[in-house]
Amino acid sequence: MVSWLFWSKRSDSSGSTSPKTPASTPKMSQPSNKPTLTPQFCFNETALRDFLRLSRVAIDDSIIQNLNALITPSRAGFDPSSTAERQTQTPRRRSIDTESCQAFKNNVLFQSWQTRSDVLSYCAGVAVDPEDPDLIAREAESAKDRERVVDERLDPYSGRFFPREARTESLANLIRNERGVEGIIRARTWGLVAERCGDNGVGWEEALDRWRAAQERDQALKQP
């Protein structure tokens, strides 16, 4: 019995414990993939809501994790003096370098926002005319103009919204509600991005419009 206790103590003091798993670094989300757009997809309101929800969860609801993933780990190491005194103030969030922020906004954030906008614009076209869902896209060439046309065509007081059946009216109500949700979510997300990346005084609408314009210029240059 004594020998067993002695062996047990030797085992504990030897420190032969399994190695700790290193803390995983945050991973940045990927831009949302656009679903195959058909009238059937839009009229399946559960599928439409699920797409929007999953995209928002991955990009906007996880914006703090996504921004943290852009930070390069510190090389300075741990400073023992940092624990010498009680910290009474909340530590300030680390800022992110401009290049990483811009890459995230261009390649992930704006791309995901635009994908959701494209889906909502297409489904708005389905609500206006299920037989011609590309009507809105033809009425407005740029993505910015499509937003305006969607607002006009779905506004029940504009005189341009003529629901043909119950399902188109239901879809139109859903699109109106989801576009309102988008505005709230994007404003909140942009506030956190501005806090970490630096606030240049540009709102999310203007920043997205600038990105859209740059995308359209790039597409024009690629055309023969």
Side-chain angles (χ1 to χ4, degrees), residues 52-118:
L52 296 171
R53 176 179 58 81
L54 292 174
S55 175
R56 290 163 179 164
V57 166
I59 304 301
D60 298 86
D61 293 352
S62 305
I63 188 62
I64 293 178
Q65 293 92 318
N66 287 325
L67 293 172
N68 286 341
L70 303 176
I71 300 175
T72 303
S74 174
R75 298 180 180 179
F78 174 66
D79 180 8
S81 65
S82 63
T83 61
E85 297 180 1
R86 182 181 178 184
Q87 301 296 321
T88 58
Q89 296 182 346
T90 303
R92 190 175 184 180
R93 289 177 177 174
R94 294 175 59 187
S95 59
I96 307 168
D97 68 90
T98 304
E99 185 176 350
S100 296
C101 276
Q102 197 61 47
F104 169 74
K105 288 186 284 188
N106 289 343
N107 301 327
V108 178
L109 183 62
F110 292 152
Q111 185 66 56
S112 298
W113 284 359
Q114 187 58 48
T115 296
R116 298 204 298 260
S117 291
D118 289 343

Side-chain angles (χ1 to χ4, degrees), residues 67-196:
L67 293 172
N68 286 341
L70 303 176
I71 300 175
T72 303
S74 174
R75 298 180 180 179
F78 174 66
D79 180 8
S81 65
S82 63
T83 61
E85 297 180 1
R86 182 181 178 184
Q87 301 296 321
T88 58
Q89 296 182 346
T90 303
R92 190 175 184 180
R93 289 177 177 174
R94 294 175 59 187
S95 59
I96 307 168
D97 68 90
T98 304
E99 185 176 350
S100 296
C101 276
Q102 197 61 47
F104 169 74
K105 288 186 284 188
N106 289 343
N107 301 327
V108 178
L109 183 62
F110 292 152
Q111 185 66 56
S112 298
W113 284 359
Q114 187 58 48
T115 296
R116 298 204 298 260
S117 291
D118 289 343
V119 170
L120 289 173
S121 293
Y122 176 85
C123 290
V126 173
V128 170
D129 188 351
E131 302 300 324
D132 189 10
D134 295 320
L135 175 64
I136 289 178
R138 292 198 306 272
E139 285 190 6
E141 294 184 0
S142 70
K144 180 180 179 180
D145 289 340
R146 281 196 295 273
E147 300 280 338
R148 175 183 52 79
V149 173
V150 167
D151 286 337
E152 292 176 356
R153 297 303 295 265
L154 291 187
D155 183 358
Y157 303 104
S158 69
R160 301 188 67 188
F161 177 60
F162 305 101
R164 298 189 174 190
E165 49 189 298
R167 64 174 185 167
T168 58
E169 186 168 7
S170 175
L171 178 59
N173 288 331
L174 173 60
I175 299 301
R176 280 193 291 265
N177 291 337
E178 292 297 341
R179 281 170 56 78
V181 171
E182 277 293 298
I184 295 171
I185 289 176
R186 293 180 186 186
R188 182 193 64 192
T189 297
W190 191 249
L192 292 170
V193 170
E195 177 185 337
R196 301 293 297 279

